[in-house]
Amino acid sequence: MRNKNLILNPAFLICLVVLFLNDHFFKFYYTSWFTGKLSDIAGIILLPMLLTYLFPKLMQNSVFVAGLLFTFWKSPFSEGFIKVYNSLAPIGIHRVVDYTDLLVLLLLPIVYFMIRDGKLINDFSIKKLNPAIVLCPAFLILMSTSPPKNFRYNRYSGNVIFEDFAIDVKKTKEEIMDEFKKRNINIHKDTARIIDESSYLVLRTGKMNSQNLKNGEDVFKYNNDSLKTLLNKRIEESNQYKIDEAEIGAGSRVRNIQLSIWGDSKSNRIVVHAMQVEKNLDSTPVDNKLKKIYKNLMLQKFKDL
C-alpha cells in the first residue's frame, strides 16, 4: 500500500517548490554556483521519496535506485535515452554533463533515515491533501529544461561559443525553414564558415610543382572552376546555418547566430554553436544574458517551431 505522506510531507513539498523556483526564476535572475547546484540538492532529496511512493517495495532501496538514476542522468550514457525520449514526448528534456553535481549524492543517507524512521514524513504531512495534486506537478517540474552552462565568452569581440545548446523539433528541415520565414527570421547557409572548414578542397583541385621553386614560377596551381563546383556542392549539402540578427526581448537583440540543423524526415535537432552579444561584459551579466536568450529565443521561438 502506498504511503501518501511520502509526497505530502514538508521536506518533499519544500524541495518541489525550490526546484520549480530555481529552474524557472533563480537561475535566470540570480546566476551563481549556488543556484546551479540548488536544483540538484532539491532533486536528490525528493526523488527517493517519490520512488518509494510509486514503488512501495523499494522502501529499503529507493535511495540506491535514486543514486543510480541520478548518476546515469548526469553521465554521457543518458544521451541516447534523451534523444529517444525527445523524439516521442511532447515535452522535451535537457541536461548538461557536470560531474561536480554528483556531490549531492552525499545527502542520500539523510533521506534514507527520513524514509526509514518516518516520523517527519508521517507526523507533519498534510493529511487532507490529494496526492494527485502534488504528483502531476512533480513530474512536470522534474522534466524541466535548463539553460546552457558550458560556454566561452570573448569580452573583446562579444562572441559566445557554446558546448551544449540544443533543442529537438518534431518537424522536417523544410518545415523548420518555412517557420523561420513566417517569423521573419532570416536564416541562410553559413557560407563563410562552410568555406573556411572546406579549405582542404583546394588541394584536391591543384598540383604542386617543386621545380618552380628555382625558376620563380607558381609552385602550386589549381583549377578555379573545379574548386567552385566542389565548394558549391559542399555548401548545398552542409547543415551549417546562420541568423544575422534576432530579437530576444523588447529592444534586445543578438547577432551572428551560428547553428546546425540535423535530423531526418520526422524530427530535427537545432544546435546553436555561437552568437554575438555585447562587448566588455562581466561574467554575471553574460550569464544573465544567456539565460534571457535561452528563455526567449530557444524556448519561445525555436521550441514552438
Side-chain angles (χ1 to χ4, degrees), residues 153-218:
Y153 169 70
N154 186 322
R155 63 183 303 168
Y156 300 105
S157 64
N159 287 333
V160 182
I161 300 175
F162 301 98
E163 295 180 19
D164 187 3
F165 195 176
I167 194 164
D168 294 306
V169 181
K170 291 184 178 180
K171 289 183 181 293
T172 66
K173 185 179 292 185
E174 290 74 18
E175 290 173 334
I176 292 174
M177 293 301 167
D178 288 339
E179 289 291 343
F180 276 125
K181 290 180 181 178
K182 291 178 183 177
R183 297 160 192 257
N184 295 319
I185 298 176
N186 181 23
I187 183 171
H188 53 84
K189 288 291 181 73
D190 192 353
T191 53
R193 183 156 56 115
I194 297 169
I195 291 175
D196 182 63
E197 293 176 353
S198 306
S199 57
Y200 67 91
L201 293 177
V202 176
L203 297 176
R204 292 175 53 183
T205 60
K207 295 181 180 180
M208 190 82 70
N209 189 338
S210 60
Q211 295 298 322
N212 288 345
L213 284 172
K214 298 178 181 180
N215 57 31
E217 296 182 13
D218 290 338

Side-chain angles (χ1 to χ4, degrees), residues 5-41:
N5 296 329
L6 285 162
I7 61 173
L8 299 180
N9 65 82
F12 186 93
L13 296 174
I14 290 172
C15 285
L16 194 62
V17 172
V18 168
L19 189 60
F20 173 77
L21 292 176
N22 192 59
D23 280 348
H24 296 277
F25 297 99
F26 298 155
K27 281 185 179 180
F28 296 101
Y29 301 107
Y30 305 101
T31 305
S32 67
W33 178 89
F34 178 71
T35 55
K37 303 300 179 187
L38 186 58
S39 292
D40 296 321
I41 294 172

